[in-house]
Amino acid sequence: DLSVIKEMLKNKKTVALGEIGLDYHWDIDKSLQKDWFEAQLELAADLDIPVIVHDREAHSDTLSLLQKYHVKGVVHCFSGSVDTAKEILKLGMYIGIGGVVTFKNARKTVEVAEMLPDDRILLETDCPYLAPEPYRGKLCHSGLIAFTAKRIAEIRGVSESEIRQKSFENADRLFGLSKI
């Protein structure tokens, strides 16, 4: 119920609307998903609150709706290409990178982690799924985020502490965490 969500978003401790978005992996009516996603984006735009976007196998439709509404936020657990990431960045949004970046077959995610500007990268867990190596297949939790930070640091040729600090600063800037 969007009216209930709207009231919840007015609470000063609420920092974002999410996780919202499109998931074409499952056999769920795409038209219905797009309608709800669009309504939620419109609500976030009206209230000027960030969104946390879920995009699974729906990159084109997700990008199209984000371009229409120009909301601030993050595309979490990013699985798209470098080209899609560049379009997301043009909108001023952030890219969330999780444990997938540690997987041996994570070519696209590694390429995205390498090209992201320092001021647009966020670390995340996508709990309870997608635990980083060496815990792949097990329960993911925030205690494992260090493995993701370490791998991104290796990819970018910087220290792990620098990646953690940049992600913290970006999360604070996006969600206003220091104001809560």
Side-chain angles (χ1 to χ4, degrees):
D1 184 337
L2 287 175
S3 63
V4 172
I5 293 171
K6 184 175 184 176
E7 287 307 307
M8 294 172 78
L9 292 173
K10 291 178 182 178
N11 182 316
K12 59 185 164 193
K13 290 185 179 182
T14 302
V15 299
L17 173 57
E19 172 177 340
I20 63 173
L22 303 173
D23 191 325
Y24 291 173
H25 180 75
W26 304 107
D27 186 22
I28 300 171
D29 185 318
K30 290 178 183 177
S31 177
L32 182 62
Q33 287 188 58
K34 285 191 267 188
D35 289 347
W36 275 104
F37 185 37
E38 190 161 10
Q40 292 166 331
L41 289 172
E42 187 173 359
L43 179 60
D46 289 346
L47 297 177
D48 192 32
I49 191 160
V51 294
I52 301 169
V53 177
H54 177 92
D55 169 17
R56 186 173 185 193
E57 299 175 20
H59 306 310
S60 179
D61 286 344
T62 298
L63 180 59
S64 177
L65 286 169
L66 291 174
Q67 289 169 329
K68 180 177 179 181
Y69 286 94
H70 295 278
V71 293
K72 57 189 171 190
V74 57
V75 178
H76 105 99
C77 197
F78 189 79
S79 62
S81 67
V82 166
D83 289 339
T84 301
K86 287 178 180 177
E87 293 302 314
I88 298 294
L89 294 172
K90 284 180 190 176
L91 297 172
M93 295 186 75
Y94 296 75
I95 302 286
I97 304 289
V100 170
V101 76
T102 68
F103 298 175
K104 288 182 176 95
N105 63 346
R107 182 187 51 81
K108 283 194 312 185
T109 307
V110 167
E111 290 171 355
V112 169
E114 185 175 38
M115 63 71 63
L116 284 175
D118 286 346
D119 66 345
R120 293 291 176 219
I121 190 168
L122 292 175
L123 297 172
E124 64 172 291
T125 62
D126 197 32
C127 177
Y129 306 110
L130 302 175
E133 293 290 350
Y135 295 96
R136 187 173 182 179
K138 297 194 175 12
L139 182 68
C140 191
H141 55 80
S142 59
L144 301 178
I145 207 162
F147 293 95
T148 301
K150 180 180 182 209
R151 179 64 181 125
I152 293 171
E154 290 169 358
I155 292 164
R156 295 167 70 90
V158 298
S159 71
E160 185 180 334
S161 63
E162 184 178 333
I163 292 298
R164 288 181 188 204
Q165 183 63 35
K166 294 293 182 191
S167 180
F168 175 81
E169 291 168 1
N170 294 340
D172 183 42
R173 187 171 43 261
L174 176 60
F175 300 121
L177 301 177
S178 60
K179 297 175 187 169
I180 297 176

